[in-house]
C-alpha cells in the first residue's frame, strides 16, 4: 500500500476513501496463470458460439417459432451479455498481471452483473410460467402466451431490475473504503466490497438481503409453485409417452434453475461470517461462468427440436 507521503503524489486516494481498487483474482496461483487464461478463454468462446447458434436457429427455423424458443433465444442473448460483463476483464487481468480498476469502472461492472443476474432470475421465472401454461392449460396456450404477452414478459424481465440495482450500486459506492483497496475476487461483487468498507454497513447488508429476496427467493418460489402444478398435471396423464414428453420439455429448464439459484442464493443469502472468501469466489465462478457454459449443452442435448434444427443448419453449411 502507498505510504502517507505517496498519497498526494498518486492522487488515487485521500484520507477518507479509495478511488481505485485492485482485483486480486487468481493472483494466489501465479503458476497457473496461462492455464487459467486458456481455460477461461475457451469457455468464453464456447459460450459465445453455442448461445449464438441457439439464437440463430430459434430465429430462422420455422419449427422453433414458439414462445418457448422465443424465451430461450432471449435467455441465450442474456447469457452472452452476462459472461461478457466479467470474463473479458478477468482475461485482461490474467494477461497483464494488473488488477487495477477505477472506482467508476468497478461500479459499472457491479451494476451490469447485478442487473443481468436479476434479469436471469426473472426470465427463468417467465420460462417456468410458459411451461406451466403449456402443460396445465394447453387449449388456451396460444391465446394466453400470444406474441404481445411474450414481448411484455421479456421486456419486464430486462428492465425491472435496472432502477433497483442502480440504486443498490450507488448505495455501495457511497461508502468510504479507507482500509485495504485489494478486492479478493475476479470481479467487483457486493460481498467482497462490503468487507473493505469503513463504518457501519448494516443498512447496506440489509438492502442486499432485501434485494436478494425480491429477485432470487420470490422468483424461485414462483418457479417451485409452477413446477408443483406442472408435475401434478403430468402425473394425471394416462399415457406414459405423454408423461415422458412433458417431463422432457421441463427437465432442461429445471436443471438450469437448480444450478443457478443454488449457487446464487448461497452467495447472497448465506451469513457472511460462515462463508470464506475462497468459497465465495468459487461459488461466483460457478454461477457467472461455468453454469452459463453448461446451459447451451443442457438445452440442446435434451431437446429434440433444437437438435433437428441444428442438423438442418449443418446440412445447409456443408459444401
Amino acid at each position: 500500500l502507498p505510504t502517507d507521503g505517496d498519497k498526494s503524489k498518486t492522487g488515487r486516494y485521500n484520507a477518507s476513501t479509495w478511488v481505485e481498487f485492485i482485483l486480486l483474482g487468481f493472483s494466489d496461483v501465479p503458476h497457473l496463470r496461462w492455464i487459467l487464461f486458456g481455460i477461461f478463454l475457451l469457455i468464453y468462446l464456447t459460450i459465445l458460439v453455442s448461445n449464438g447458434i441457439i439464437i440463430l436457429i430459434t430465429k430462422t427455423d420455422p419449427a422453433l417459432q414458439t414462445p418457448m424458443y422465443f424465451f430461450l433465444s432471449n435467455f441465450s442473448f442474456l447469457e452472452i451479455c452476462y459472461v461478457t460483463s466479467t470474463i473479458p476483464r478477468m482475461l485482461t487481468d490474467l494477461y497483464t498481471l494488473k488488477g487495477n480498476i477505477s472506482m467508476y469502472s468497478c461500479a459499472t461492472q457491479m451494476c451490469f452483473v447485478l442487473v443481468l443476474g436479476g434479469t436471469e432470475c426473472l426470465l427463468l421465472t417467465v420460462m417456468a410460467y410458459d411451461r406451466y401454461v403449456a402443460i396445465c392449460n394447453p387449449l388456451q396456450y396460444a391465446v394466453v402466451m400470444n406474441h404481445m404477452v411474450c414481448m411484455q414478459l421479456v421486456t419486464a424481465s430486462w428492465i425491472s431490475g435496472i432502477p433497483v440495482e442502480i440504486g443498490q450500486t450507488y448505495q455501495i459506492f457511497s461508502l468510504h473504503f479507507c482500509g485495504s483497496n485489494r478486492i479478493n475476487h475476479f470481479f467487483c461483487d457486493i460481498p467482497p466490497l462490503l468487507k473493505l468498507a469503513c463504518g457501519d454497513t448494516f443498512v447496506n447488508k440489509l438492502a442486499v438481503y432485501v434485494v436478494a429476496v425480491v429477485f432470487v427467493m420470490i422468483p424461485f418460489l414462483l418457479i417451485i409453485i409452477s413446477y408443483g402444478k406442472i408435475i401434478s398435471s403430468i402425473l394425471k396423464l394416462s399415457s406414459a409417452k405423454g408423461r415422458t414428453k412433458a417431463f422432457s420439455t421441463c427437465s432442461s429448464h429445471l436443471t438450469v434453475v437448480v444450478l443457478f439459484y443454488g449457487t446464487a442464493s448461497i452467495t447472497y443469502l448465506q451469513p457472511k461470517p460462515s462463508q470464506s472468501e475462497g468459497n465465495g469466489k468459487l461459488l461466483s465462478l460457478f454461477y457467472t461462468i461455468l453454469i452459463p457454459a453448461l446451459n447451451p449443452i443442457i438445452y440442446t442435448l435434451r431437446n429434440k427440436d433444437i437438435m433437428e434444427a441444428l442438423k438442418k443448419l449443418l446440412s445447409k453449411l456443408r459444401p
Side-chain angles (χ1 to χ4, degrees), residues 158-212:
W158 278 94
I159 68 174
S160 294
I162 293 177
V164 176
E165 301 302 355
I166 288 177
Q168 186 167 58
T169 303
Y170 176 78
Q171 184 188 43
I172 295 295
F173 283 89
S174 295
L175 295 168
H176 291 302
F177 301 95
C178 54
S180 171
N181 69 333
R182 298 174 182 271
I183 303 173
N184 190 13
H185 216 294
F186 57 89
F187 72 96
C188 291
D189 200 9
I190 293 177
L193 268 166
L194 284 178
K195 291 181 180 180
L196 303 182
C198 306
D200 186 14
T201 58
F202 173 77
V203 174
N204 303 89
K205 291 177 180 177
L206 181 62
V208 171
Y209 277 101
V210 171
V211 172

Side-chain angles (χ1 to χ4, degrees), residues 64 123 205 299:
L64 302 182
L123 195 54
K205 291 177 180 177
Y299 275 110

Side-chain angles (χ1 to χ4, degrees), residues 78 82 112-122 215 260:
L78 172 64
Y82 193 43
F112 271 104
V113 170
L114 293 177
V115 168
L116 294 170
T119 301
E120 182 154 348
C121 292
L122 297 176
F215 284 94
F260 178 77

Side-chain angles (χ1 to χ4, degrees), residues 30-77:
H31 55 288
L32 299 177
R33 168 194 173 193
W34 291 112
I35 295 176
L36 291 173
F37 181 88
I39 291 173
F40 290 132
L41 178 61
L42 179 62
I43 290 174
Y44 185 52
L45 294 176
T46 301
I47 292 171
L48 294 182
V49 173
S50 56
N51 282 289
I53 290 173
I54 290 177
I55 294 171
L56 177 63
I57 61 178
T58 53
K59 293 293 184 183
T60 58
D61 195 298
L64 302 182
Q65 304 303 306
T66 64
M68 182 174 78
Y69 295 110
F70 171 72
F71 294 134
L72 180 58
S73 66
N74 272 272
F75 185 74
S76 295
F77 177 69

Side-chain angles (χ1 to χ4, degrees), residues 120-129 219-220 222-223 253 261:
E120 182 154 348
C121 292
L122 297 176
L123 195 54
L124 285 171
T125 309
V126 169
M127 294 168 77
Y129 175 69
F220 183 66
L222 292 174
I223 292 173
H253 178 258
Y261 275 95

